[in-house]
Amino acid sequence: MSHQPKLYLDKERCKRNISRIAQKANENNLVFRPHFKTHQSIEIGRWFRDEGVEGVTVSSVEMAKYFIQDGWNDFTIAFPFYKGMIDGLKEIQNKAQIRLFVNSVEDISLLNRELKKDFKIYIEIDAGYGRSGISINKMDQIDLLVQAANDGKFSQFHGFYIHDGGTYKARGKNEIFERVEDSVDALRKLKDHYPNASTSLGDTPSASVLNNFDGIDEITPGNLVFYDWMQVQIGSCSPNDVAVYVEIPFAQQIDNEKAIVHGGAVHFSKDFIEQYSNRNYGQVFQIFDNKFKPDDGVYLSSLSQEHGTVFGFKKSIIGDHNSIKILPIHSCLTVNLFDVYHTTDGEIIQKRVLS
Amino acid sequence: MSHQPKLYLDKERCKRNISRIAQKANENNLVFRPHFKTHQSIEIGRWFRDEGVEGVTVSSVEMAKYFIQDGWNDFTIAFPFYKGMIDGLKEIQNKAQIRLFVNSVEDISLLNRELKKDFKIYIEIDAGYGRSGISINKMDQIDLLVQAANDGKFSQFHGFYIHDGGTYKARGKNEIFERVEDSVDALRKLKDHYPNASTSLGDTPSASVLNNFDGIDEITPGNLVFYDWMQVQIGSCSPNDVAVYVEIPFAQQIDNEKAIVHGGAVHFSKDFIEQYSNRNYGQVFQIFDNKFKPDDGVYLSSLSQEHGTVFGFKKSIIGDHNSIKILPIHSCLTVNLFDVYHTTDGEIIQKRVLS
């Protein structure tokens, strides 16, 4: 009987996810520089170190500072550089190497004036996804940035980085292959142009399913440490690879198909996927013999601050437990809303609280 | 220049919001029993106490425990009772009076066996919104619950509670009036049937705009302590009533209409409203002479974990500041993602961290 919503972590699955991708990177001669934004935990970070990981990727200066506490000393800050970062970067540089995403010649100059220690520059490329980075079609601009990075007193051009957010819209492996094609082509084109540059691909679906990494030197997936129900739908993994879930108290049966649970937007955030002709904010599942069995058509159909509505509710789901297990739609956002992990074998694992 | 996303609080507006509703309640002979889920701050709670508030509403046992630390001793736990609450309720009862939402005769019996101190029961009514509570059409069931509550050794029936979530879909005051009609009618019908029962209405839009509270004894709004951009669209308030905003660093200009900012789902959650023929996840605005001026058509059009995309970006918005101000779509969820409030006059106000 759960007293309040709790975040659970299956350590064995999590370590298996880390180990699998580390091995895949090794077999394909890829640098594995994982993104630590998903777990935000010093203890889980150590499981990557056990697999030989030395450099990591973070999404903010504050996140780098958190991991420096445990001796990490080589960070990619995978967010477009902005001036407000400077004081934090100086602080980090006292203890660690940094690689930055810089998008303008002016900012490269600024950084060389402000930072008095060496740093490396990735040029973030937009191969069509359209979030951040420089369009692959602007080769002139890219050439100028490479030149400026190499001309800087402290800066050195390191390579090209693409986070292909488009693969998150795929449904099935073949669609992942199709959707990542533009990104892989862009990296290969850049590699032809700059043979010594490192090329880096960021997303979890590609890292999970690609077999041919020609032209790619580095992968930086974050989500695959845990995966989630969205990644199952994308085709990145199976339900038995998902390493986190939330257990929430059952509160009230409303009618034949709906129940109210204590689990809302402050526990899951509000990411959803379109599924079951509706919005699915969290997938109900059960555990039998260590296997995760999703209950088809049973899901969180709406969330308010603390309330969740489970659609397709069946009494058999709760049995004698008075609680329901939910696979999060987006584990990065769900995990961010809890202060600790409860492992399925009864330990508590600390994490960073709030970003 | 903002170093990372920061939550700002305008104390004067916040106190004005509290004071306005306290006065309105007073003029209409209503008990004002505010919901504290939105601010989750002991210090802000004291501003309600200054207005004469004695009893409050919370959405979980843990939230009640937080406010007990500051001497609050009369709570409505506005969430359907479930068994997992019992230990927590016993703990609360050592220091405070409690009112519970109980939906079954079995649970009323259970509570009378488990809790050895007096407690009061609200029957939560569903007047058509369809989240939690007992349908107003099931008067037989309601009669049974009232009877069971009054027959219990420790329980006493207190009254009826409706949270009309339907008003959040209104656009304009007249629609709020139309949408809340079923709830007000239900409370009046119950009042005819049970003249001594207290009737309670929970939502912010109704509390903000209703002028006729005949048949209603109590209001418990939460969001109106801060309001937000959604409440502006609903018609509950003007932009100059909104008391919180988030300031986020500007990171990169993408093209003529888009910019990347450091502000994502870990700062705003992912609530949106349909606006500008798109999804608006946060409204860009500027402050002139203490007035909030929304930039029409300029808004957060997408959010990933740490990145936000501002659509309709104009250089004039940032001026020399390198940061952008955002009115949150849903202040309850946004505030929940920050550890402190920065007041606009430079203080730091503590809050509960995570629900």
Side-chain angles (χ1 to χ4, degrees):
Chain A
M1 179 159 62
S2 187
H3 293 252
Q4 54 175 326
K6 269 188 190 167
L7 174 66
Y8 282 93
L9 168 67
D10 184 317
K11 272 167 68 174
E12 202 178 311
R13 287 172 178 225
C14 180
K15 289 184 177 180
R16 195 171 65 211
N17 291 341
I18 297 168
S19 173
R20 189 194 302 118
I21 193 72
Q23 193 180 333
K24 186 174 184 178
N26 192 40
E27 286 165 5
N28 289 277
N29 290 315
L30 298 165
V31 174
F32 177 37
R33 197 171 170 92
H35 207 310
F36 273 15
K37 73 186 173 73
T38 305
H39 62 81
Q40 299 198 50
S41 163
I42 281 174
E43 185 161 345
I44 296 173
R46 291 178 187 169
W47 303 347
F48 286 85
R49 197 179 269 150
D50 292 343
E51 293 287 343
V53 169
E54 293 177 346
V56 302
T57 306
V58 294
S59 48
S60 70
V61 165
E62 296 305 313
M63 205 182 292
K65 287 188 198 168
Y66 169 81
F67 285 106
I68 281 176
Q69 296 174 68
D70 197 45
W72 292 96
N73 61 10
D74 185 3
F75 295 97
T76 300
I77 298 174
F79 195 94
F81 165 77
Y82 56 85
K83 286 180 191 165
M85 288 185 185
I86 287 175
D87 290 344
L89 294 177
K90 287 180 182 171
E91 201 181 325
I92 293 172
Q93 279 194 308
N94 290 326
K95 300 202 169 166
Q97 300 293 314
I98 51 172
R99 300 182 190 175
L100 303 175
F101 290 8
V102 195
N103 289 308
S104 77
V105 171
E106 294 71 29
D107 280 345
I108 292 174
S109 303
L110 174 74
L111 281 162
N112 276 289
R113 285 196 306 276
E114 292 282 342
L115 304 184
K116 307 295 186 197
K117 292 183 180 163
D118 290 346
F119 63 98
K120 290 181 179 173
I121 290 178
Y122 280 98
I123 299 173
E124 188 188 7
I125 300 296
D126 175 11
Y129 176 49
R131 188 176 70 178
S132 45
I134 309 291
S135 167
I136 183 64
N137 301 319
K138 297 185 176 166
M139 280 303 293
D140 289 355
Q141 199 180 335
I142 292 167
D143 290 340
L144 281 175
L145 287 168
V146 171
Q147 190 67 44
N150 280 332
D151 286 352
K153 186 168 175 190
F154 299 106
S155 63
Q156 191 193 338
F157 170 64
H158 180 74
F160 300 102
Y161 185 102
I162 295 183
H163 172 81
D164 192 334
T167 60
Y168 290 82
K169 292 186 180 128
R171 291 294 178 268
K173 283 189 191 186
N174 287 336
E175 273 193 40
I176 301 175
F177 294 141
E178 282 167 30
R179 282 175 177 271
V180 80
E181 212 167 275
D182 285 348
S183 294
V184 174
D185 286 351
L187 290 176
R188 286 178 185 154
K189 176 180 164 188
L190 291 161
K191 193 82 180 169
D192 286 344
H193 203 57
Y194 290 102
N196 296 323
S198 165
T199 51
S200 186
L201 191 61
D203 64 302
T204 278
S206 307
S208 301
V209 308
L210 274 185
N211 296 308
N212 175 0
F213 289 90
D214 286 355
I216 300 170
D217 297 313
E218 180 181 272
I219 54 172
T220 69
N223 178 282
L224 62 59
V225 63
F226 298 147
Y227 288 120
D228 51 34
W229 185 243
M230 195 189 296
Q231 294 294 336
V232 173
Q233 300 311 303
I234 290 170
S236 307
C237 66
S238 93
N240 287 313
D241 299 315
V242 182
V244 290
Y245 63 88
V246 183
E247 191 162 341
I248 53 179
F250 165 78
Q252 186 193 355
Q253 182 88 41
I254 299 296
D255 57 27
N256 284 339
E257 54 186 21
K258 282 197 302 184
I260 297 297
V261 288
H262 186 188
V266 294
H267 309 106
F268 294 101
S269 189
K270 286 198 83 164
D271 246 352
F272 60 84
I273 54 170
E274 302 281 354
Q275 193 175 27
Y276 311 128
S277 310
N278 204 343
R279 289 178 181 171
N280 179 350
Y281 291 93
Q283 176 62 42
V284 174
F285 77 108
Q286 298 177 68
I287 303 179
F288 297 111
D289 202 17
N290 241 348
K291 297 268 185 277
F292 285 11
K293 304 283 185 191
D295 284 278
D296 191 47
V298 187
Y299 61 102
L300 289 170
S301 58
S302 72
L303 298 177
S304 44
Q305 185 167 348
E306 298 260 353
H307 294 70
T309 301
V310 173
F311 189 86
F313 181 76
K314 293 170 287 189
K315 205 79 183 172
S316 61
I317 293 167
I318 52 170
D320 300 326
H321 298 292
N322 289 310
S323 66
I324 294 183
K325 294 183 181 69
I326 305 283
L327 293 176
I329 297 301
H330 189 171
S331 59
C332 308
L333 301 188
T334 298
V335 163
N336 182 60
L337 287 161
F338 286 87
D339 55 353
V340 295
Y341 299 92
H342 295 265
T343 71
T344 47
D345 50 5
E347 292 171 46
I348 287 181
I349 291 185
Q350 300 298 324
K351 61 179 287 292
R352 186 167 170 244
V353 177
L354 297 177
S355 297
Chain B
M1 178 159 61
S2 185
H3 293 253
Q4 55 175 326
K6 269 189 192 167
L7 174 67
Y8 283 93
L9 167 67
D10 185 318
K11 272 167 67 173
E12 202 179 310
R13 288 171 178 227
C14 180
K15 288 184 179 181
R16 196 171 64 211
N17 291 341
I18 297 169
S19 174
R20 189 194 301 120
I21 192 73
Q23 194 180 333
K24 185 175 185 178
N26 191 40
E27 286 166 4
N28 289 277
N29 290 315
L30 298 165
V31 174
F32 177 38
R33 197 171 171 92
H35 207 310
F36 273 15
K37 72 187 175 72
T38 305
H39 62 81
Q40 299 198 50
S41 162
I42 280 174
E43 184 161 345
I44 296 173
R46 290 178 187 168
W47 303 346
F48 286 86
R49 196 180 270 149
D50 292 344
E51 293 286 344
V53 168
E54 294 178 348
V56 302
T57 306
V58 293
S59 49
S60 70
V61 165
E62 295 304 313
M63 204 182 291
K65 287 188 199 169
Y66 169 80
F67 285 107
I68 282 177
Q69 297 173 68
D70 198 44
W72 292 95
N73 61 9
D74 185 4
F75 295 96
T76 301
I77 298 175
F79 195 93
F81 165 77
Y82 57 85
K83 287 180 190 166
M85 288 185 184
I86 287 176
D87 290 343
L89 294 177
K90 288 180 183 172
E91 200 181 324
I92 293 172
Q93 279 194 306
N94 290 325
K95 301 203 170 167
Q97 300 293 314
I98 51 172
R99 301 182 190 175
L100 303 175
F101 290 7
V102 196
N103 289 309
S104 77
V105 171
E106 294 71 29
D107 280 344
I108 293 175
S109 302
L110 175 74
L111 281 161
N112 275 289
R113 284 196 307 277
E114 292 283 342
L115 303 184
K116 308 293 187 199
K117 292 183 180 162
D118 289 346
F119 64 98
K120 290 180 179 173
I121 291 178
Y122 280 97
I123 299 172
E124 187 187 8
I125 300 296
D126 175 12
Y129 176 50
R131 188 176 69 177
S132 45
I134 309 291
S135 167
I136 183 64
N137 301 318
K138 297 185 176 166
M139 280 303 293
D140 290 355
Q141 199 180 335
I142 292 168
D143 290 341
L144 280 175
L145 286 168
V146 171
Q147 190 66 45
N150 279 331
D151 287 351
K153 185 169 176 189
F154 299 106
S155 62
Q156 191 194 340
F157 170 64
H158 180 75
F160 300 102
Y161 185 102
I162 295 183
H163 172 81
D164 191 334
T167 61
Y168 290 82
K169 291 185 182 131
R171 290 293 179 269
K173 283 189 191 186
N174 287 336
E175 273 194 39
I176 300 174
F177 294 141
E178 282 167 31
R179 283 175 176 272
V180 80
E181 211 166 276
D182 286 348
S183 295
V184 173
D185 286 350
L187 290 176
R188 288 179 184 154
K189 176 180 164 188
L190 291 161
K191 192 82 179 170
D192 286 343
H193 202 56
Y194 290 100
N196 297 322
S198 164
T199 51
S200 186
L201 190 62
D203 64 301
T204 278
S206 308
S208 301
V209 307
L210 273 186
N211 296 309
N212 175 0
F213 289 91
D214 286 353
I216 300 169
D217 298 313
E218 181 180 272
I219 53 172
T220 68
N223 178 283
L224 63 59
V225 64
F226 298 147
Y227 286 121
D228 51 34
W229 185 244
M230 195 189 297
Q231 293 295 336
V232 173
Q233 300 310 303
I234 289 170
S236 309
C237 66
S238 92
N240 287 314
D241 299 315
V242 182
V244 289
Y245 64 88
V246 183
E247 191 162 344
I248 53 179
F250 165 79
Q252 186 193 355
Q253 182 86 41
I254 299 296
D255 57 28
N256 284 339
E257 53 186 21
K258 282 196 303 185
I260 297 298
V261 288
H262 186 187
V266 294
H267 309 106
F268 295 101
S269 188
K270 285 199 83 165
D271 246 351
F272 60 84
I273 54 169
E274 302 280 355
Q275 194 176 26
Y276 310 128
S277 309
N278 204 343
R279 290 178 180 171
N280 179 350
Y281 291 92
Q283 176 62 42
V284 173
F285 77 108
Q286 298 176 69
I287 302 179
F288 297 111
D289 203 18
N290 242 348
K291 297 266 185 276
F292 285 10
K293 305 282 186 194
D295 284 279
D296 191 47
V298 187
Y299 61 102
L300 289 171
S301 58
S302 72
L303 298 177
S304 44
Q305 184 166 349
E306 299 260 353
H307 295 69
T309 300
V310 173
F311 189 87
F313 181 75
K314 294 171 286 189
K315 206 78 183 175
S316 61
I317 293 167
I318 52 170
D320 300 325
H321 297 292
N322 289 311
S323 66
I324 295 183
K325 294 183 181 68
I326 305 283
L327 293 176
I329 297 301
H330 189 171
S331 59
C332 308
L333 301 188
T334 298
V335 163
N336 182 61
L337 287 162
F338 287 87
D339 54 354
V340 295
Y341 299 91
H342 296 264
T343 72
T344 48
D345 50 5
E347 292 171 46
I348 287 181
I349 291 186
Q350 300 298 324
K351 62 179 286 292
R352 185 167 171 245
V353 178
L354 297 178
S355 300

